[in-house]
Structures are given as C-alpha cells and as structure tokens.
Amino acid sequence: MIRSELDAAGIDDPRLREGYRRCRELNAAHGRTFFLATRLLAPDQRPAVHALYGFARYADDILDDLDPTVGTDARAERLQRLADRFFAGGDHADDPVLTAVTHTVRRYRIGAALFEDFLASMRMDLTITDYPDREALNLYMRGSAEAIGLQVLPVLGAVVPVEEAAPYAAALGRAFQLTNFLRDVDEDLLRGRVYLPADELAAHGVDRDLLMWCHRHRRTDPRVRDALAAQHEITRETYRFADSGIATLAPRSRPCVATAAELYSEILDRIEASDFAVFNHRATVGKARRLQVAGIGLIRSWRARNSAATVSDPPGAA
C-alpha cells in the first residue's frame, strides 16, 4: 500500500521513500483515528500528511518521555536541536522523518511560521503546567493545534482562497485538541499538567487539588462534572464552526476531514455518556464503529475522486 501511495505522489528517491515510510509507521502506531481518516485521502495526498504527523510526533516524544532521568533542560536541548536542524534546511540524510517533512514543506510551500508557532507551544510544555484563562490556553493551542490544521491545509486543497478556509482548518485542529484535553484530564495530571482554564474551573469550585482528589479516588466530584460539562459544550461549539467550513475544502478531501471530525466528536459522546467519568476510564470509539464510519467515508471519498476524474476528462473521452 505504501508503495502505491509513494508512486502516486511521484516520490522516487529511495531516501525520501524511506523517510515517508517511517512517518507512515509513526502515524499508524500512535494516531489510530487520525491514521484511519488518512486512508480516505487520495493516495498522492497521504505521504505528506504522514510526514507532518511524523514531525509533530517527534516533538511530542521529546516532551512526553516519562524517563525520570531526563530533566527539563535536557528536553529543552533536544527540542532546540530538532528546531535547529529543521530550520537549517538541507536533505537530513541521517534522519528519515526530517527528510520527509522538509520535502513536504518545500513541495506544498508550507510557511515556516506555522512550524515556529508549533515549536513555541512545545517549549511552553517544558515549563507551563497550568493555564489561568482561555486566552492563555488559546495561545498554547495556536501552535499545538491550529498550526497543525493550517500545515495540512495546502495538502488538502481548497475551493476558496486559502485565507477563507484557514479559520475552519485552525478550528478543527483546536476542536481535536480540546477533545483530547477532556479525555486525558487524568493522564495529563500524572504529567503535572492541567489543560483547562483555571478561571473557568474556579467558577464551578474546581482547582488542581480537587482534580487530584478525583484522580486518587478514581471518581468525578459533582463540581468537576459540572466544570467538564461546560468545557464539553465549548468543544461542541468549536466542532460546529469547523464543520461548517468543510465545504471550503477540495471535494476529494472532504470525506477524510468529515470522517475525522465525526470520529473525534464521538469521543465527546462517550465522555458525556459516562457522565464525565474521565478518572476511571479513557473514552474511546470502538473499532467496529470506527470502521463503520470510515466505510461510509470511503464510499464518499471514492465517489468524490471518481467525479473529479470524470469532470477532468477531455471531450469525447471514454
């Protein structure tokens, strides 16, 4: 399968092919829902999306390494080394992931500022463990989530000027991350982080100490439940805005993005159905349901690509 994708994308250089293969492996291993959605893209689009995911995964692995012997300074140094190498350009012959992502950046003319924003947010994770308000959290998400959506946008293509499609792409990245924040409250606490605005939690009588109480007792205090429900509604509203912009994308890309949005938003359904019991289990969408949604998306994707091919046929073509 990967060979046909690389062939469709016109990637012939053996080193590049190896880099894209490695990025695809990272996506398949660590981003189950995202990887499933990428299967709905046209084959020539998939390698670039895998490469962008691979770069983000590189940075995440530096930050989330649970080895207690690796301190903040060491992580900061590793992250800076990654940034220096990426922005230095070159072919990165010794690093398959950087080889693939720098090739993707050049090919799709993805702005360097999006990677600067992304890495700035990754640096925030080294020292910032709480966000006092929505403005502070949005600043973090500008690089950690919105920038990812905007990086992928040139690969997806749009039927409107890019500046019109950009707010929706950014919002979808933000919606995905807000979903993760709700689902992973307990896991993030173990890393010493709370990705929920402190002032909005405080409005419901919630602080870090109460969240830790929930973690220790594996149960959701009613005050925490109300605070999480309020965050849940904000996330829902973000999906509604992002969904309204799917029509701005190239037709062949819409089934993939719509499927990803549906599957991720169903994680919110699972959280709500559990009455926000995020401290004793992790909300997931079952494999059968993922395959069902992806199957419908696959049919839509095939129809969109087939329709595009038919429209592009010259007069008199068979």
Side-chain angles (χ1 to χ4, degrees), residues 6-45:
L6 295 173
D7 290 344
I11 300 169
D12 302 319
D13 183 277
R15 288 185 306 102
L16 282 176
R17 291 174 75 93
E18 177 56 31
Y20 280 107
R21 284 193 190 96
R22 177 56 182 150
C23 292
R24 186 181 189 275
E25 290 169 0
L26 287 170
N27 196 343
H30 298 286
R32 291 185 307 173
T33 298
F34 184 75
F35 181 75
L36 183 62
T38 64
R39 307 302 304 146
L40 308 184
L41 290 171
D44 66 285
Q45 294 174 298

Side-chain angles (χ1 to χ4, degrees), residues 74-230:
R75 295 173 203 264
E77 183 180 342
R78 288 168 60 187
L79 193 62
Q80 187 60 49
R81 207 158 46 233
L82 174 64
D84 290 344
R85 297 195 66 204
F86 173 76
F87 289 116
D91 58 12
H92 304 291
D94 62 333
D95 192 314
V97 172
L98 285 181
T99 295
V101 74
T102 52
H103 178 261
T104 290
V105 168
R106 289 193 297 267
R107 182 173 193 174
Y108 289 94
R109 300 179 181 178
I110 303 172
L114 294 175
F115 293 90
E116 291 169 353
D117 286 344
F118 169 72
L119 290 166
S121 289
M122 296 303 97
R123 292 187 189 97
M124 291 171 68
D125 267 333
L126 292 170
T127 56
I128 297 175
T129 58
D130 298 86
Y131 293 85
D133 50 36
R134 180 68 52 179
E135 182 179 2
L137 186 63
N138 284 344
L139 177 62
Y140 171 75
M141 289 193 293
R142 187 177 74 188
S144 64
E146 295 181 10
I148 304 298
L150 295 172
Q151 288 170 15
V152 173
L153 182 56
V155 182
L156 300 178
V159 295
V160 298
V162 67
E163 59 270 17
E164 291 184 26
Y168 302 106
L172 188 58
R174 189 166 67 255
F176 289 166
Q177 188 160 61
L178 288 170
T179 302
N180 289 340
F181 289 164
L182 280 170
R183 181 191 62 190
D184 298 336
V185 169
D186 193 64
E187 181 179 325
D188 289 334
L189 280 170
L190 289 176
R191 295 191 174 101
R193 302 173 188 158
V194 177
Y195 291 107
L196 302 171
D199 62 341
E200 295 176 21
L201 295 180
H204 296 274
V206 176
D207 58 14
R208 179 185 278 267
D209 288 342
L210 184 55
L211 292 174
M212 287 304 301
W213 183 93
C214 294
H215 166 72
R216 289 193 300 272
H217 292 84
R218 318 308 296 166
R219 55 180 286 197
T220 305
D221 180 272
R223 291 165 292 178
V224 174
R225 187 257 173 225
D226 290 344
L228 295 181

